Amino acid sequence: VQLQASGGGLVQAGGSLRLSCVVSGRLFSSYAVGWFRQAPGKEREFVAARGWNGISITYADSVKGRFAISRDNAKSTVYLQMNSLKPEDTAVYYCAAGVRPTDRASTYNYWGQGTLVTVSS
C-alpha cells in the first residue's frame, strides 16, 4: 500500500485548502484513514480520522468546525478540506491508513510522504 499526498501550499490566514491523498493497493475501502501534521520543532499530532464505512469520524479539538475529512472509495482517495486556516495550522500534513480510525500515529500501518501547508498572517 502506498499513499501520495498533495494539495499543500501557501495561503493567507482565513483561507482554505483541500489536501488529497491517493492510496494505491488493494482493499482501500477496508482501511481507516487519518491525517496528522507536524510543525517545525514539534511532535507529530493527530488532525482527523475516518473509518472505512464513514461512520467513525474524529477530529482534534484544534480543528473541529474548520476541517473536514472525507473519502471517495471509488477513487481510492481521502481528502482534508481545511477552512478558516490559521498561522498555527502551518505544518507538514501526512495521510495514513490503518485498521482503525484512531488518534494514535502508532496504530497506522501506512504513511504518505507529507505535503507542506503554510498559513501566513
Side-chain angles (χ1 to χ4, degrees):
V1 178
Q2 294 183 328
L3 291 81
Q4 181 73 37
S6 61
L10 174 63
V11 63
Q12 289 187 332
S16 298
L17 278 176
R18 188 177 79 158
L19 306 183
S20 300
C21 178
V22 178
V23 183
S24 61
R26 300 184 300 171
L27 303 177
F28 166 76
S29 60
S30 67
Y31 286 110
V33 291
W35 287 96
F36 291 76
R37 66 186 182 186
Q38 187 166 18
K42 295 187 177 181
E43 294 187 351
R44 189 171 299 190
E45 65 174 5
F46 169 74
V47 176
R50 187 180 180 107
W52 67 272
N53 58 7
I55 295 177
S56 298
I57 301 175
T58 59
Y59 296 97
D61 288 342
S62 59
V63 306
K64 278 182 182 177
R66 300 189 298 122
F67 290 13
I69 184 171
S70 62
R71 62 189 293 167
D72 185 336
N73 287 341
K75 296 182 178 180
S76 296
T77 302
V78 58
Y79 303 98
L80 185 69
Q81 178 66 44
M82 306 185 296
N83 300 324
S84 302
L85 283 161
K86 305 175 182 179
E88 50 264 43
D89 293 319
T90 294
V92 176
Y93 283 72
Y94 298 89
C95 56
V99 176
R100 292 178 291 119
T102 77
D103 60 359
R104 299 190 305 275
S106 60
T107 63
Y108 290 84
N109 306 99
Y110 308 101
W111 290 83
Q113 84 290 359
T115 184
L116 177 62
V117 173
T118 303
V119 184
S120 62
S121 57

